[in-house]
Amino acid sequence: MKLKGWKEVTPGCVITEAGSAVQFKTGSWRSLKPVFIEENCIQCLFCWLYCPDMAIKVKDGKRAEFDYDYCKGCGICAVECPGKKGNKAIIMVEEGK
């Protein structure tokens, strides 16, 4: 299966075929990238719940790493993260850093 790049995505990112969303790797659109700080995570899974791109994985009922192929860098996960004692488990950094 050939994966489509951002130049090949339909206008408005409309998904025209069932099950084809996996072909649209949109991570190259990012200017900001989320970074996971595991020691600050309380496993509330708010990041997973609010992520509009399913870019946050859960394994064995716990928060796992980001799937950067699909993360657009919107930052919703970082905003929703309560963190531990005021220290966020997700912070946004400039892409490439």
Side-chain angles (χ1 to χ4, degrees), residues 1 8 12 20 24 29 49 57 73 91:
M1 167 173 66
E8 300 169 303
S20 65
F24 297 102
W29 299 359
L49 179 67
K57 301 302 176 193
I91 59 169

Side-chain angles (χ1 to χ4, degrees), residues 4 16 19 39 53 77 90 93:
K4 297 181 181 184
T16 58
E39 60 268 15
D53 299 309
C77 56
I90 301 171
V93 300

Side-chain angles (χ1 to χ4, degrees), residues 1-11 13 20-29 69-70:
M1 167 173 66
K2 180 184 178 283
L3 298 177
K4 297 181 181 184
W6 69 270
K7 292 180 181 178
E8 300 169 303
V9 175
T10 56
C13 295
S20 65
V22 74
Q23 296 178 36
F24 297 102
K25 293 192 174 186
T26 55
S28 64
W29 299 359
D69 284 339
Y70 301 100

Side-chain angles (χ1 to χ4, degrees), residues 50-65:
Y50 286 102
C51 178
D53 299 309
M54 299 297 292
I56 297 170
K57 301 302 176 193
V58 173
K59 183 175 181 181
D60 299 326
K62 292 190 173 186
R63 161 73 167 85
E65 288 298 321

Side-chain angles (χ1 to χ4, degrees), residues 34 47 56 66 74-82 88-92:
C47 55
I56 297 170
F66 289 99
C74 69
I76 292 172
C77 56
V79 169
E80 296 300 330
C81 175
K88 297 268 188 175
I90 301 171
I91 59 169
M92 300 302 288

